[in-house]
Amino acid sequence: DTFYSCKMSDISDTVLVIEDEPDIVMFMKRVLESKGYTVETAKNYQQAMDALDGNANPNESGNYSGLSKYGYIFTDNQLPGGSGIDIVKKIRGPNYNTINPNIKIIFMSADISGTTKSELEGKVDLYLPKPIDMDIISRPNLEKLYTK
């Protein structure tokens, strides 16, 4: 099947997880890798910007893959040095244009206020309230984001 002018087989298996809580990062990385994804992590806003730009990855050897290589980006809202909302703007464009529609953004937050939620309406592909129900993070569920 083809969605958004891409074939399901063309969807990148590389995932970026932007989260500052080490336990959540470790758990998400383990779960996603067990489902066949390649996982890169960023623990603050600056590392997230470096990841999107394909700069050096301080968490592993080598560079981050860069924005165009990610199929999915999970981002927390409250990060040291910036916000998940700003990361979404970087990915989708300053006015939340439909830049990079084939990168699916999963927005994670313990507190998604009405203002935040309305600001991101139509700009992110999935909201995950914390604590995260990891049963939602399955290959079939993630691939469904491409059928919307």
Side-chain angles (χ1 to χ4, degrees), residues 17-21 25 41-45 47-48 58-59 64 79-80:
V17 175
I18 305 166
E19 170 63 63
D20 61 321
E21 296 181 39
V25 171
T41 62
K43 62 183 180 182
N44 57 46
Y45 181 80
Q47 284 184 13
N59 304 310
Y64 282 109
L79 296 163

Side-chain angles (χ1 to χ4, degrees), residues 88-109:
V88 172
K89 286 180 185 176
K90 168 86 173 175
I91 297 165
R92 294 286 190 241
N95 298 315
Y96 295 121
N97 297 331
T98 55
I99 299 171
N100 302 307
N102 288 332
I103 298 170
K104 300 305 171 190
I105 302 172
I106 297 93
F107 197 84
M108 308 177 296
S109 182

Side-chain angles (χ1 to χ4, degrees), residues 9-79:
S9 61
D10 293 338
I11 298 169
S12 173
D13 283 339
T14 302
V15 175
L16 175 62
V17 175
I18 305 166
E19 170 63 63
D20 61 321
E21 296 181 39
D23 292 343
I24 294 174
V25 171
M26 193 169 39
F27 186 62
M28 288 187 70
K29 185 173 171 69
R30 188 173 64 242
V31 168
L32 288 163
E33 286 176 344
S34 75
K35 297 181 185 317
Y37 292 101
T38 300
V39 180
E40 296 180 4
T41 62
K43 62 183 180 182
N44 57 46
Y45 181 80
Q46 184 56 55
Q47 284 184 13
M49 293 299 100
D50 287 342
L52 299 178
D53 292 337
N55 295 334
N57 182 344
N59 304 310
E60 299 182 27
S61 61
N63 286 0
Y64 282 109
S65 294
L67 181 58
S68 66
K69 303 294 183 194
Y70 297 119
Y72 305 92
I73 297 176
F74 289 79
T75 185
D76 188 16
N77 187 33
Q78 297 180 347
L79 296 163

